[in-house]
Each structure stands twice: as structure tokens, then as C-alpha cells.
Amino acid sequence: MNFFDSTLSTISDFIWGYPMIVLLVGTHILLTIRLKFPQRKILTAIKLSLAKDKDGDGDVSQFGALATALAATIGTGNIIGVGTAIALGGPGAVLWCWLTGVLGIATKYGEGLLAVKYRRTSKKGYKIGGPMYALEYGLHAKWAGVLFALFTALAAFGIGSTVQANAISTLARDVMGIDMWISGVVVTLLVGLVLIGGIKSISRVCTALVPFMAALYVIGCLVLLCLNYQYVIPAIELICLSAFDPHALGGGVAGGGIMVAAHYGIARGLFSNESGLGSAPLVAAAAKTKNPVRQALVSASGTFWDTVVICAITGIVIVSSILCYADVSSLHTSSLGHLFNHILETKLSGIDGGSLTKLAFSKIPAIGEPLLMFGLFTFAFSTILGWSLYAQRAVEYLFGPKGVKAYTWVFLLAVLLGSSISLNTVWTMADIFNALMAIPNLMALILLSNVIVKETDKYLWSGHLDEEEV
């Protein structure tokens, strides 16, 4: 197992090297500039997400599509993923994660636009779309669409099932003393019950669950920021300085420097908001919308909530809690980095991302750990539901409707088995499949950027956002 873990880590480090970081961030920047900074329309995007396109063509509401996408993205990446990035990449990883989210708004916008632009109607009458359809019908590169669908189906066993189930069972064991396999059985049964109803059942559950769970988690984080008030500003300073300090140390044995912070920050940022991954368009294609740009804006708002808000708050909470844990009487910006790493290397030696988050929430008297447990369960459970839908759409593209049922059973088995797999192995596998998914999707975004620009100019910048697509 040690050899297997080491091999996976080597593969992950290779895939997530300079080329992947440049490709991902470069796409974010390219679309941000070419689309004239769509981030400035985030308030319009939020407003649209709460409205209904009664005359729009699709299967679920725009908010339903957004909630399902958020269900898949607001998961352990927000809770454990940010803690893991800090433990391995140092506090600077938080800023890189946040920047990935800000720039990723443009990429998520482009993904949503292409999903609606190139969607099709299935034999059973519902809307299907996503990067594989953009690749096939927009670029006439079906082989790339097949690769994306294949990587999506495989990625669902990492980011969409085993990672989430493992996070739930680990915390249930640590906080409540419940055997991991019992948690696995319960979660698997609950997921199976929801999946029976298909996309509309998944959308209904996510629409009810996501706003409540996100609000409750953010309130908990705000309480922690109030408790850590004297360490919040120093934590923000440390995060910003460490992100661009070539001599900054990373946590654990990860080493140090800008690339270490960028590696883990960007990787966890992608894991969290999935901008560039190509997963959210799989459900965005089913939204009832008048034109592609309206749903593109709604999709983009998901990255704002997920990373720009929730991940940022989580990162500041964890870093400020670690500084608070040191119980120092005075803080000087120049020595914060050394203090932070001294704490990780001595008092918190060997601690993982999940434990860092647990340490932070334990400061809330009585309800801190139960609140974290509830947040993690709901986040991870909703992520499993969202990713099950993504995987089904990918398998349907590859094998038709008949392959979906068989895959669903295998997916549920992965949820069950994931409850007791090594967490490090699971996270590493998730990073690898995320990158493999992202490559063909980013290719579609770059090569079809002219289409995205044309549609954006037609509906958004020309003031025709309320017009129906002809």
C-alpha cells in the first residue's frame, strides 16, 4: 500500500506540475479578459439564479440546476480540502485557492454557456449536454468527448463518492465513535433512495438542502471569526504574504516556496469549485433558460459562493485558529510565518486537513464539533448526489441509457467501500482524475472561446439578456 500511495503521489505531482497550473490559470485569465470581466456581473447572476424562466426550455429550474451543481461542489473541498491545502502548502495556499475561484468565475461562465449552446434532447425527451457534446458538435472531436466522459465516470469514484464517504465515516468515528463501516452503510442507503427518482429527485433534495447547510456552516465560521477576532487580521496578512514569498515554508513535509502554495491552493481550489473541470455543465444543460448566457451567469454564481465566499472564510478560520492555538501575547507580521510553521511542526505535528478543521470548530463550546459533523455530512452527502448525476450523464454518453443502471450500482458500491479507504490515497486519486477531466474541457473552452464571446456580446453586453434564443 505504501508503494501504491507513493506511485499515485508521483503521478499526481507530475500531472499537477507547471503545465497544468499554467493551462488552468491561463484559461481563467484568457476568458476573463476576452469576456470583458464577467465577474462584474455577479450580482446580476445571483438575481437570475433566484428567478424562473417560465418560457425557458429545459427540465429543472435555473436555481435547481445551480443547487445541484453547488451540492456537488460545496463538499469536503470546502471543509477538509482547505485544511489539507494549509497542512501541505502552508497558509499561502488559501490565497491561491481564492484567486482560482475569482478568476474561475469566467471559466464556469463559459462552461455553462457551451452546455446550453450544444445540448441535445435524449430519446426519452430530457435535455442532455456538457463538455462532451461541445467537443463533439462544436469542435467535431468526438474522441475528445469520449475521453472526457470516460474520465468523468472514473473521477466520480474519487471526488464524487469515496472522498465524501471517507470524510463522513472518519469524522463520525472521531466525534461520535461510530464504526466506519456503519456510516458507510447508512450513507449508501440514503444515496440509493434519492437516486431512484432521477434528476428531478436529486434536484429537489439539493434545492432544499444546499441553502440551509451553506448558511448554517457560514454562521458557524462567523462565530469562530468573532472568537478569534484578535488573530483574524494577522491571519489574513500571513495568507497574503506566504502566497508570494519564495522562502515561505509549507506545512508538513511538503517543502516550501510559491509553487508549493500554488500547487495545493490551485488543486484544492479546482476540487472545491470545479471551474475548468467540466462537471457543472452536465447539470446546467438541463436548466430551463431562455438563452445560453442566462444559465452561464447562474452557473458562474456557483463559483462565487463556493470558493470566493465559503472557502475563503474556512481558510481564515483555520489559520486564525492555529495562531490562536499558539496562545502568543504579541504578534509581528515578520515572524508570523515562522510561528505558524513552528506550531505545525511541533504542537500539531502529523495532523491532517480534517483534524485542522476539527481543531478550529472545537473552539465553539458544546456545539462546535456537532456543527462541523452536520456540515460535513450534509456537504459530503449532497456532493455524492450531484456527482452521481454527473457520472450518469457521462455513462449515458458512452454506453446509452442501458449502461446507467449498472454504473449506478457500482457507484453505490464505491460509496460503501470508500468509507474505510486510506484518506491520502483517495485524495491523490481524486486530484489525478480531476486533472484528466479538466484537460479536454479546457481544450473545448479555449478552442470555442470565439463562440462564447459572440454569444456574450449578443445577449449580455448588448442588453438582450431577456431575449429567447432563436
Side-chain angles (χ1 to χ4, degrees), residues 52-72:
K52 291 184 178 181
D53 273 0
K54 297 180 179 179
D55 299 325
D57 189 19
D59 305 308
V60 297
S61 67
Q62 288 181 315
F63 183 76
L66 174 64
T68 304
L70 280 175

Side-chain angles (χ1 to χ4, degrees), residues 188-225:
T188 302
L189 290 175
L190 291 175
V191 171
L193 289 174
V194 178
L195 296 189
I196 292 175
I199 183 174
K200 292 186 177 181
S201 174
I202 295 173
S203 177
R204 283 195 298 269
V205 173
C206 293
T207 299
L209 188 61
V210 167
F212 174 72
M213 72 181 192
L216 189 62
Y217 178 73
V218 169
I219 290 172
C221 287
L222 292 176
V223 170
L224 284 169
L225 291 179

Side-chain angles (χ1 to χ4, degrees), residues 3 16 47 68 72 101 141-142 144 170 176 185 227 248 265 299 327-328 334 349 356 363 391 405 410 423-424 428 430:
F3 174 77
W16 280 104
K47 181 180 178 181
T68 304
K142 186 172 182 177
T170 298
M176 304 174 65
V185 170
L227 294 174
S299 294
D327 194 24
V328 293
S334 59
S349 178
L356 283 178
K363 288 200 64 179
K405 186 175 182 179
V410 178
L423 186 60
N424 289 333
T428 305

